[in-house]
Amino acid sequence: MDDTTRGIRIRRGGPADAPAVLGMLDSAVIWMNARGNTEQWGTTPFSEKPGGVEMVHRYLTENLPYIAELDGTPAAALVLDSGPHPQAPIAPAEEPERYVRLLVSDRRFAGRHLGSALLAHAVEETRRAGVRLLRVDCWAGGDGELVAFYERHGFTATETFLSGTWPGQVLAQRVG
């Protein structure tokens, strides 16, 4: 998918994208921490977290990763799967689904609507696969800004959960 009006090109990702995705995650942690948010993803950059590099590698090899590029530079990433992480406190859907496991952008490209473009791509990929349900979970803490972001993109809040003390929200969107 290309969004030439904004210079965004979306392509399948793969293992070679690991350094770029880790850079995006690290920049997001720094940005969140600078805004006073140390609860969502903690304070340690993903590239330094135990299991962080391995998690990104799994996302890029075992799931459906997509990279949004601006002028050939990886600027955001989205990872789709067939359901929530098996160890997450989230019940699988009672029907086939696509599940957004990761959505992150490089903070250098903030304001370019990369997340919006990737979510629109996720809807299209879900539809193309003949699946009618797209879900995502996110941090529900702070002022609820992240939940509101997904709601603005057509998702509806369905269930809340706690992972330890981390408050989460599952959201769903019907496609088709």
Side-chain angles (χ1 to χ4, degrees):
M1 178 198 133
D2 292 334
D3 184 343
T4 54
T5 61
R6 292 182 280 179
I8 300 169
R9 176 181 168 271
I10 297 177
R11 62 169 174 81
R12 275 297 298 268
D17 294 303
V21 173
L22 280 167
M24 293 173 204
L25 288 163
D26 288 352
S27 76
V29 169
I30 292 166
W31 175 76
M32 285 186 248
N33 288 185
R35 297 177 69 212
N37 177 351
T38 59
E39 297 173 33
Q40 184 175 346
W41 282 354
T43 58
T44 303
F46 275 80
S47 60
E48 298 173 16
K49 280 184 183 182
V53 172
E54 293 81 3
M55 177 196 74
V56 168
H57 179 73
R58 279 192 313 277
Y59 279 168
L60 297 173
T61 58
E62 297 174 10
N63 301 116
L64 296 170
Y66 296 94
I67 304 295
E69 294 181 336
L70 287 171
D71 298 322
T73 301
L78 175 128
V79 175
L80 287 177
D81 199 357
S82 60
H85 191 283
Q87 294 167 336
I90 301 165
E94 295 179 5
E95 64 183 277
E97 70 177 316
R98 289 292 184 265
Y99 204 95
V100 177
R101 286 278 188 98
L102 175 70
L103 177 63
V104 64
S105 63
D106 187 317
R107 296 309 306 164
R108 294 176 299 164
F109 302 103
R112 299 292 298 269
H113 307 284
L114 299 167
S116 298
L118 282 166
L119 286 174
H121 188 75
V123 167
E124 287 304 314
E125 288 297 318
T126 301
R127 185 177 292 120
R128 190 179 348 253
V131 176
R132 299 187 56 188
L133 178 63
L134 176 63
R135 292 197 306 162
V136 63
D137 67 79
C138 68
W139 185 62
D143 60 4
E145 184 178 342
L146 191 52
V147 172
F149 168 80
Y150 286 109
E151 290 175 330
R152 285 191 306 273
H153 288 85
F155 288 86
T156 301
T158 58
E159 63 187 90
T160 59
F161 65 93
L162 280 176
S163 181
T165 59
W166 193 89
Q169 176 69 57
V170 178
L171 299 103
Q173 182 175 154
R174 288 277 168 202
V175 301

